[in-house]
Amino acid sequence: MATANTNQDKKRKFEEQFLPLMDNLYNIAMRMTRNSADAEDLVQETYLKAFRFFDHFQEGTNARAWIITILTNTFRTKYRKYQKEPIQVDFDSIENFFLVDEIKPQIQPANKSEAKGSEEITEILKAYVSDDIIKALENVPEQFRLAVLLSDVERFNYQEIAEIIGVSVGTVKSRIFRGRKILQKQLLDLAKAKGIVGVKK
Amino acid sequence: MIKCEEVLKRLNEYIDKELDETVTKEIMEHLKLCKYCCRHHDFEVQLKELIKKSCFDKKAPEILKNKISEMLGE
């Protein structure tokens, strides 16, 4: 009877801490696998592993970081095929690439001198809908995409991301830098293809 | 004063609050005075927000929640 209670306790504690994080996991899984069937499998397997290893979770430490680490590792082992996607990025050409230098707002502010800088930027970015951003991000090679997601969406700091992925802080910094550059390149290509923003000559 | 080139190179870390206090202050002062860098800064900040908003748009499907609950119940 005591064992049954302990098991119930364990389950309850696990559920309290980790079930509220399911939307976070699902969204990362969606971006990494790029389809809902695989994303669901990945999240399910992550929960299964997390529950199995729950005894190893240190109470009071970051539950979100802990379970996202499991998801990341599961993704890597389960979806090795994704890792094999060739990374064809000319890093020299993106080093000094800034999307903001390449596009201009669709609607020019009536009075340029009065237009605030941040409003002009908002106007530029209005050209992109959520699906555009997702599409561009999904074209970013996996290792860079993951670093950008963990920073921009989950708002982990570089040290936390380094621990989650299992690389150095320097590597995280470089992956985020490059990931964002590749994303911006993708967004420019998208803008050109759709003719959605005024692309500068 | 810190140069534009240097500011743009470190903009990611600045926005992510990964720089030490001294460099952060230097960049902050530069941004107050330099419209060019400020524009880049605003763009990166807004794009980061847009990425968060775009990528955190879904709720886990009910069927998945049920599957996981079942799995934990076993």
Side-chain angles (χ1 to χ4, degrees):
Chain A
M1 215 44 205
T3 319
N5 276 337
T6 320
N7 277 341
Q8 277 304 358
D9 264 8
K10 179 187 166 187
K11 193 183 152 230
R12 189 178 46 80
K13 268 190 185 165
F14 179 83
E15 287 177 343
E16 270 172 18
Q17 295 214 57
F18 294 104
L19 290 190
L21 297 169
M22 203 185 296
D23 291 343
N24 298 60
L25 298 195
Y26 182 68
N27 281 292
I28 301 174
M30 274 297 283
R31 299 290 87 81
M32 293 313 292
T33 63
R34 302 186 277 205
N35 74 83
S36 56
D38 284 344
E40 285 181 32
D41 282 353
L42 178 57
V43 172
Q44 200 180 343
E45 200 169 329
T46 300
Y47 273 99
L48 186 66
K49 278 190 193 157
F51 189 58
R52 234 179 248 158
F53 288 99
F54 187 40
D55 294 336
H56 297 268
F57 174 68
Q58 273 188 302
E59 211 60 56
T61 59
N62 191 334
R64 189 167 52 98
W66 188 73
I67 198 161
I68 288 175
T69 307
I70 297 175
L71 180 130
T72 304
N73 290 336
T74 309
F75 173 77
R76 270 202 289 248
T77 43
K78 195 171 165 136
Y79 299 93
R80 274 184 199 282
K81 56 180 177 177
Y82 288 113
Q83 283 192 304
K84 288 192 180 133
E85 63 188 1
I87 299 174
Q88 289 166 329
V89 181
D90 177 5
F91 289 119
D92 288 338
S93 81
I94 59 167
E95 209 72 15
N96 291 308
F97 174 78
F98 297 97
L99 180 60
V100 69
D101 287 340
E102 305 292 328
I103 53 181
K104 56 183 196 295
Q106 283 171 300
I107 305 159
Q108 287 289 348
N111 188 335
K112 264 193 178 175
S113 60
E114 273 179 26
K116 277 214 180 95
S118 60
E119 285 168 15
E120 184 226 343
I121 301 295
T122 309
E123 205 52 54
I124 290 176
L125 285 170
K126 255 189 203 163
Y128 294 107
V129 294
S130 286
D131 281 351
D132 295 328
I133 303 288
I134 288 172
K135 196 174 163 192
L137 189 68
E138 288 182 353
N139 276 329
V140 175
E142 181 233 296
Q143 54 180 344
F144 302 99
R145 192 186 333 141
L146 181 61
V148 171
L149 278 173
L150 294 178
S151 172
D152 290 359
V153 182
E154 288 297 327
R155 299 292 158 106
F156 286 118
N157 64 39
Y158 292 5
Q159 179 62 47
E160 290 168 326
I161 297 172
E163 284 165 20
I164 290 169
I165 306 183
V167 294
S168 70
V169 173
T171 303
V172 169
K173 198 171 96 176
S174 132
R175 284 189 190 175
I176 289 175
F177 182 87
R178 288 174 169 178
R180 287 185 185 150
K181 292 284 184 200
I182 301 167
L183 175 74
Q184 293 195 12
K185 258 255 149 79
Q186 293 291 335
L187 284 172
L188 179 64
D189 291 346
L190 206 64
K192 283 178 181 168
K194 289 177 70 172
I196 51 171
V197 286
V199 179
K200 283 183 183 170
K201 291 262 164 66
Chain B
M1 196 170 125
I2 188 166
K3 285 182 182 160
C4 291
E5 198 191 343
E6 186 67 17
V7 171
L8 294 184
K9 223 167 80 183
R10 313 198 80 164
L11 213 44
N12 277 287
E13 291 163 87
Y14 176 79
I15 287 161
D16 295 336
K17 301 186 174 63
E18 294 284 342
L19 294 168
D20 64 42
E21 215 179 311
T22 319
V23 186
T24 302
K25 262 192 182 155
E26 272 185 276
I27 295 181
M28 206 186 287
E29 289 306 313
H30 181 104
L31 290 175
K32 276 183 198 161
L33 302 170
C34 176
K35 235 180 153 180
Y36 176 76
C37 288
C38 193
R39 192 166 174 268
H40 280 77
H41 171 266
D42 289 350
F43 184 80
E44 298 293 335
V45 169
Q46 288 195 32
L47 183 58
K48 190 175 164 100
E49 284 305 320
L50 187 59
I51 292 168
K52 184 181 167 89
K53 217 177 76 193
S54 307
C55 290
F56 205 136
D57 61 334
K58 289 198 176 54
K59 296 235 172 275
E62 284 304 315
I63 186 162
L64 177 63
K65 287 182 189 170
N66 294 339
K67 267 190 206 164
I68 289 170
S69 293
E70 259 175 51
M71 186 182 78
L72 295 176
E74 276 165 17

